[in-house]
Amino acid sequence: MKICVLILAIFFSFFFSFGCDSSEGNETDNESSVLNCKTLSDCPRGYICGDNFYCVPGDETEGNPLYEEDIDDDVTEIITDSNDGSCKTSSDCDADKICQYKQCLNPFDKIWRLSDMKVSLSTDKIWDEIGLGGEAVQPDPMIIVYLNGAKVLETDVASDTFTATFIESVELVLDENDSFVIEIRDADTFDYTKAGTITYSPVPISVFRNQAINETDFSNVISFSAKFEPAN
């Protein structure tokens, strides 16, 4: 009799233990450990913020305020103000804002990258000494960039050419009180000759919006161009 009671006790103990473990496993499969989410950004990759404010498996675009409204009006993070609202291009924003990450933002105090600089110098100027045949020797262009008087970039010299492309780049954080200068030079044997200078104080909003610098016909420079893009 004692043996039968012992067998029954072991059976019921195993049955209820198995049932509890199975229930907990289902909850783990359907919900992540992240609770009280409000938007997609609160959840790990491959999860969305469900109606019960738990992170559950789902399409990453669902519940994302960049694609649609949030799941609850009380916790929506969509900004509808015209100054900081959603946009497709900078023309959708106020005149002093740019469109970035589908939002109208102030372009200053952000990291920008200056790169892919190209220059074309005048062919009318005698840049260097006269060659043995009496011809004018071609210039040796280079570029120096200053921010508030401090040198932040100096390119290599491109030898004997009127046109050059420079691979160097620099990342900058600009504010509305900064002086930003791009100086194009001819690197002579013993000295430098200024070909032309671009001075911005501050950098115009058109440069941020176009994400490019394009200047033509100044001093002895026919054209200068560069990419000016967000670095983050």
Side-chain angles (χ1 to χ4, degrees):
M1 181 67 178
K2 292 181 178 179
I3 295 175
C4 291
V5 172
L6 180 60
I7 292 173
L8 288 173
I10 294 173
F11 173 79
F12 282 110
S13 175
F14 176 81
F15 176 81
F16 285 111
S17 175
F18 179 81
C20 292
D21 290 343
S22 177
S23 172
E24 291 175 1
N26 288 338
E27 181 177 350
T28 303
D29 290 341
N30 294 327
E31 296 177 347
S32 79
S33 60
V34 179
L35 308 180
N36 300 323
C37 62
K38 291 183 179 182
T39 66
L40 175 71
S41 61
D42 297 327
C43 300
R45 187 173 182 85
Y47 286 77
I48 62 171
C49 191
D51 293 333
N52 58 353
F53 299 102
Y54 279 71
C55 295
V56 296
D59 182 359
E60 294 179 8
T61 63
E62 183 180 348
N64 188 336
L66 293 179
Y67 294 91
E68 60 184 19
E69 289 191 353
D70 212 346
I71 55 177
D72 192 308
D73 290 336
D74 293 334
V75 295
T76 184
E77 294 186 356
I78 296 177
I79 303 173
T80 57
D81 186 278
S82 62
N83 290 329
D84 296 300
S86 60
C87 59
K88 292 182 178 179
T89 66
S90 293
S91 60
D92 298 328
C93 304
D94 288 347
D96 61 343
K97 298 289 195 303
I98 61 168
C99 185
Q100 189 177 11
Y101 311 122
K102 298 186 178 181
Q103 296 293 310
C104 294
L105 304 173
N106 185 336
F108 293 101
D109 297 323
K110 301 182 183 303
I111 303 175
W112 294 86
R113 181 182 296 110
L114 176 71
S115 64
D116 194 28
M117 293 180 289
K118 300 178 181 179
V119 64
S120 178
L121 301 182
S122 172
T123 58
D124 294 332
K125 175 180 171 55
I126 298 177
W127 293 96
D128 293 323
E129 68 277 5
I130 303 298
L132 294 177
E135 74 281 3
V137 178
Q138 297 185 36
D140 307 304
M142 63 174 296
I143 295 173
I144 300 179
V145 180
Y146 300 91
L147 180 61
N148 296 325
K151 184 191 298 183
V152 294
L153 176 67
E154 181 174 330
T155 70
D156 289 337
V157 176
S159 300
D160 297 325
T161 180
F162 289 104
T163 61
T165 298
F166 299 93
I167 62 172
E168 293 88 350
S169 65
V170 63
E171 293 185 356
L172 306 160
V173 178
L174 303 170
D175 67 36
E176 296 172 271
N177 298 314
D178 284 335
S179 173
F180 181 61
V181 175
I182 300 172
E183 190 174 274
I184 299 98
R185 293 182 173 186
D186 170 31
D188 296 324
T189 304
F190 301 106
D191 199 0
Y192 294 101
T193 301
K194 287 185 181 179
T197 302
I198 300 169
T199 301
Y200 293 141
S201 185
V203 174
I205 191 67
S206 59
V207 169
F208 295 113
R209 287 192 163 204
N210 297 330
Q211 296 187 11
I213 298 175
N214 290 286
E215 300 288 350
T216 59
D217 296 326
F218 57 98
S219 300
N220 291 295
V221 178
I222 297 175
S223 66
F224 172 89
S225 67
K227 293 179 180 178
F228 198 77
E229 301 170 311
N232 57 347

